[in-house]
Amino acid sequence: MTDTDTSREIDPDKLKMFSFGVFTQLSGAVTAGMIHLGDKLGLFTALAAIGRPATTAELADAAELDERWVREWAHNQAAARILDVDTSVSPELFTMSPEAVAVLADPDHVAYGMGMFHRFPQTMAALEHMPESFRSGLGHDYDSHGCEGAIGIEKSFEPWMRHHLLDTVLPALDGVVERLEEGAHVIDIGCGAGGAVLMMAERFPKSTFVGYDISDHALRRAAERLAESGVTNARFADPRLAPMPADHSCDLVTTFDCIHDMTRPQEMMDAIRAAISDDGTWLLVDIKGRDSFAENVEKNPMAPLMYGISVLSCMSSALSEPDGAGLGTLGLPASKAQEMAEAAGFGQFRKLDVDHSVNSFYEISV
């Protein structure tokens, strides 16, 4: 080692801590895979249904699975403090706290969180394509994640929406509920599997709703759900085949967690301005980003997750066409959203007082 390299000598204690930090990240990724399996195999719902501390034999029997595999899975989940375990008895007894049941096993709870874990294999599979994306600059759209990817997004956002869209978010918009009750024309852009459209259409039967998306998987899922719902005042369309209105006929436009994913977000905002009436409202919901990387890291404990998901999903989608904008998951803070909205011809921009751990909500009008 030369004299100029002495400052780079490795501190053994720092090396241990750095290695521990690196492999803690790997531990989290592997445990996420085990959470995916717990959801897919019904292990969480089975343990919640048992309703008391249970052995892995009892859990395996309830889920109709092999006990040895269930035991190793349960040890991972208990070691990660996902499950509670009583090791004072043999065999150990595993149980779920009420909070764990809400997040892992109750799809109707506002805190249910299995959506991202549902699509975890598809998200991780994107790693196979990433080296070429890093070289070429081109990403992959959401359909590259397959049907399970669309279902995962549905499961990620709809629990909170079922509890808050109709009774918290829409009433926070100036005069919108009244217009919906009287009869309004509404379009939801980036509608995904159609959850928001179906919720609104059922609540406001005098209004008409059109959901637009370019994902074949999501649109098929939305069509299936529409047929099952019996709702008659809603439909779904691919805007490339059935263009959005450009005659200022829409009273309400909604975009939920999709603008940052788009290859041409400014063009989309221009199209929204062309669609919306001069006294209409645009509800923009998007990820709660800040103006700088430093602020995101300081104020968002999930910043590493957000930036990683951006590479594998959000930014990849936003760069799936040549010269895509590539905003990324945290790339639409309030300041940028307002700047882009004003460039599209909107004059009013208001952040709504809606509490959400991930998203910000904005009311935009002419």
Side-chain angles (χ1 to χ4, degrees), residues 106-363:
D106 184 359
D108 293 324
H109 198 281
V110 66
Y112 183 67
M114 288 298 94
M116 288 302 295
F117 294 99
H118 180 94
R119 64 193 293 257
F120 184 74
Q122 290 75 29
T123 302
M124 291 296 102
L127 289 170
E128 296 290 333
H129 309 294
M130 286 300 105
E132 182 55 33
S133 290
F134 272 67
R135 296 184 185 105
S136 70
L138 282 176
H140 301 270
D141 64 21
Y142 269 92
D143 271 357
S144 67
H145 293 262
C147 181
E148 295 303 317
I151 295 173
I153 293 174
E154 171 189 336
K155 293 178 69 173
S156 291
F157 295 105
E158 288 193 19
W160 190 92
M161 296 278 275
R162 282 196 295 270
H163 285 267
H164 292 289
L165 174 61
L166 300 176
D167 298 324
T168 303
V169 179
L170 294 182
L173 299 168
D174 187 22
V176 164
V177 169
E178 291 78 7
R179 294 187 74 169
L180 291 170
E181 289 174 339
E182 294 168 0
H185 180 33
V186 182
I187 63 173
D188 179 31
I189 300 167
C191 65
V197 166
L198 295 175
M199 290 178 212
M200 292 188 290
E202 184 175 13
R203 174 67 68 89
F204 302 106
K206 292 183 179 179
S207 293
T208 59
F209 299 82
V210 184
Y212 291 97
D213 210 294
I214 60 172
S215 165
D216 290 336
H217 295 300
L219 287 173
R220 278 198 294 270
R221 175 73 177 144
E224 292 170 359
R225 299 176 73 194
L226 177 61
E228 294 168 358
S229 72
V231 167
T232 59
N233 56 330
R235 62 182 178 89
F236 297 99
D238 184 330
R240 296 168 299 187
L241 304 176
M244 290 166 38
D247 57 356
H248 302 293
S249 61
C250 298
D251 302 296
L252 173 65
V253 176
T254 60
T255 56
F256 297 101
D257 289 289
C258 63
I259 294 294
H260 71 272
D261 296 315
M262 295 182 178
T263 57
R264 305 284 188 271
Q266 186 63 64
E267 290 181 14
M268 175 53 68
M269 291 191 184
D270 295 342
I272 291 172
R273 178 62 191 96
I276 204 165
S277 64
D278 288 344
D279 61 348
T281 300
W282 172 21
L283 170 62
L284 167 61
V285 181
D286 217 286
I287 305 296
K288 194 183 297 182
R290 272 78 180 190
D291 288 325
S292 70
F293 166 73
E295 288 179 276
N296 282 324
V297 171
E298 177 188 356
K299 298 180 179 180
N300 189 343
M302 293 194 296
L305 171 64
M306 295 291 191
Y307 282 114
I309 289 295
S310 188
V311 169
L312 296 172
S313 186
C314 299
M315 189 187 74
S316 184
S317 171
L319 291 173
S320 61
E321 296 177 1
D323 300 318
L327 291 180
T329 304
L330 295 171
L332 194 66
S335 59
K336 189 170 187 65
Q338 182 169 3
E339 175 188 330
M340 294 175 70
E342 289 175 352
F346 291 96
Q348 304 297 318
F349 187 97
R350 179 171 72 97
K351 187 176 185 297
L352 300 178
D353 186 19
V354 176
D355 183 30
H356 192 280
S357 59
V358 174
N359 287 330
S360 291
F361 296 72
Y362 309 103
E363 180 183 50

Side-chain angles (χ1 to χ4, degrees), residues 9 50 101:
E9 290 182 359
I50 291 173
V101 172

